[in-house]
Amino acid sequence: MLILLILSISSAEGQGGGGGVIDVVAKFGAKADEKTDLSKPLLDAWKEACASTSPAKIVIPKGIYFLSTATLDGPCKAPIELQVQGTLKAPADPGAFKEPKWIAFNRIENFKLSGGGVFDGQGTVAYKREDCEKHDYCDSLPINLRFDFLTNAMIQGITTKDSKQFHVNFLGCKNITFEHFIISAPGDSPNIDGIHIGRSDGVNVLNTEIKTGDDCVSIGDGSKNLVINGVTCGPGHGISIGNPVLFKNEELVDGVTVKNCTLTNTSNGVRIKSWPGAELGTCSNIHFEDITMTNVSSPIIIDQKYCPWNKCKINEESKVKLSNISFKNIHGTSALPEAVKIICSATLPCENVELADIEITLSGTNGPTVSQCSNVKPKVSGKQNPVACSAPIAAKPTPVA
């Protein structure tokens, strides 16, 4: 489907009338002067392209443009491509935004975003605000790129940098591929996930480089049939299936494969987490394979007692059922002795957890790494360093982000 989409758009180039190539500078007077708002030329171009009955491509040529905000709505009548060759800059002042989004793509089918361009969220002012966990401030900051209810889309060869909140957020999408995507933000940028996926089916994140201050990839409730392959992560908090079913009416997570990924200097490696007291739900068929870790603080972790900022009640247990989870051929170095931590719920112990060919040593020392388990009996095969489930759980485990 994606190949047909790309070919159909390419074949329309140069056609007269509807469809073809729409240049926002040549046709709608956009200016690459870093001060004239690109919003109206972009929205005008989108309106024309979206109404076309033949495939259309919008081009933003090379240059640096100021863009206040834009929501690009579908449905459109034919496949559509937005080719960003230049750099788009957001307002630096977080107060300039009325909604928590900078650029949003909504209810579009057969869409491509390409061109090698940059989406610069100019988030350094927002990063200076502290104590995000104690306020709603960070949740109200704009996400660089929102993709809501898209079907059959390709996001390729794009960079997003210094977003004020998440770089990319997916909601309600189906059959989406990210490829050769770059995400860049400082390691101390707060609450800045690279890519967050929620309630989406068939999302592929391929050959992507992510440097950020929170999870490189975070997977929320309702996510199904996801493939994360060839991702390099660091700095950041790793690749997380996070907080499934924290609230009522959240949906199951099923079918996630994370493969051929490299994590460097991250606070976590590959992780599944749920809150004590989380609502009844399931998270199943999760597979981590062929992962390289370098100086990662918690390389392998299932944490059903995840409780940042001490907001949980004493003796609460997670009601999320975790099953059919595998960690295979994971190797490298850990920044802390606890290289493997599988801490499951006493109410609903983990089922069918597999550890195969694990080789994780301690960074910068000859000391051993350890493996800790609770409420789980994993299937073990191949080399195991550290020896699976061989160490007691500390009374006060090392906190993780």
Side-chain angles (χ1 to χ4, degrees), residues 202-387:
V203 176
N204 304 299
V205 181
L206 311 176
N207 305 315
T208 288
E209 176 184 324
I210 303 174
K211 299 178 180 180
T212 193
D214 210 300
D215 293 337
C216 289
V217 180
S218 60
I219 298 166
D221 80 294
S223 300
K224 303 174 185 178
N225 305 312
L226 310 185
V227 174
I228 315 298
N229 195 324
V231 169
T232 61
C233 166
H237 292 183
I239 297 173
S240 293
I241 299 173
N243 302 352
V245 200
L246 173 59
F247 305 107
K248 291 182 179 180
N249 302 317
E250 294 208 351
E251 301 174 8
L252 60 82
V253 175
D254 184 44
V256 179
T257 298
V258 179
K259 192 171 183 179
N260 298 320
C261 294
T262 300
L263 297 98
T264 303
N265 297 323
T266 55
S267 59
N268 301 288
V270 289
R271 172 172 64 161
I272 300 172
K273 59 184 179 180
S274 68
W275 290 68
E279 293 291 329
L280 184 66
T282 63
C283 180
S284 59
N285 301 311
I286 313 299
H287 304 292
F288 303 100
E289 187 173 354
D290 301 331
I291 310 294
T292 299
M293 310 274 187
T294 302
N295 197 43
V296 171
S297 294
S298 297
I300 296 174
I301 181 167
I302 294 177
D303 185 4
Q304 292 204 269
K305 294 185 179 295
Y306 176 74
C307 187
W309 319 307
N310 297 317
K311 290 185 177 181
C312 305
K313 295 180 181 179
I314 297 175
N315 298 324
E316 277 191 320
E317 293 286 342
S318 173
K319 299 181 183 67
V320 178
K321 183 71 171 182
L322 303 183
S323 63
N324 300 330
I325 298 165
S326 65
F327 302 90
K328 296 181 178 180
N329 190 30
I330 298 179
H331 59 275
T333 58
S334 176
L336 299 173
E338 300 92 346
V340 180
K341 292 187 283 188
I342 304 179
I343 312 301
C344 298
S345 169
T347 302
L348 290 170
C350 297
E351 293 184 353
N352 298 327
V353 175
E354 181 178 2
L355 295 170
D357 297 308
I358 308 298
E359 175 66 27
I360 302 173
T361 58
L362 197 58
S363 297
T365 178
N366 292 323
T369 52
V370 299
S371 173
Q372 301 172 330
C373 300
S374 176
N375 302 310
V376 63
K377 295 180 179 179
K379 175 185 176 182
V380 176
S381 63
K383 188 168 184 177
Q384 295 289 320
N385 182 21
V387 177

Side-chain angles (χ1 to χ4, degrees), residues 32-50:
D33 59 7
E34 300 186 55
K35 60 182 181 180
T36 303
D37 194 353
L38 179 63
S39 180
K40 188 177 187 306
L42 176 58
L43 292 173
D44 287 345
W46 183 265
K47 182 178 180 180
E48 179 177 316
C50 192

Side-chain angles (χ1 to χ4, degrees), residues 82 84 105 111-115 119 145 147 154-156 158:
L82 175 59
V84 179
F105 301 88
F111 171 68
K112 183 178 181 183
L113 175 62
S114 66
F119 293 86
L145 299 173
F147 299 94
M154 169 73 81
I155 318 301
Q156 186 177 56
I158 290 294

Side-chain angles (χ1 to χ4, degrees), residues 101-122:
K101 59 183 179 180
W102 176 32
I103 302 170
F105 301 88
N106 184 44
R107 300 185 185 279
I108 308 164
E109 186 172 354
N110 299 327
F111 171 68
K112 183 178 181 183
L113 175 62
S114 66
V118 177
F119 293 86
D120 184 353
Q122 298 207 92

Side-chain angles (χ1 to χ4, degrees), residues 118-127 142 144 159-168 181-195 209-216 232-237 264-266:
V118 177
F119 293 86
D120 184 353
Q122 298 207 92
T124 53
V125 172
Y127 301 158
N144 259 16
T159 295
T160 168
K161 62 176 291 188
D162 294 341
S163 182
K164 296 177 179 68
Q165 204 203 132
F166 295 175
H167 284 269
V168 176
F181 195 81
I182 296 173
I183 292 173
S184 177
D188 60 355
S189 53
N191 198 40
I192 312 296
D193 283 9
I195 298 173
E209 176 184 324
I210 303 174
K211 299 178 180 180
T212 193
D214 210 300
D215 293 337
C216 289
T232 61
C233 166
H237 292 183
T264 303
N265 297 323
T266 55

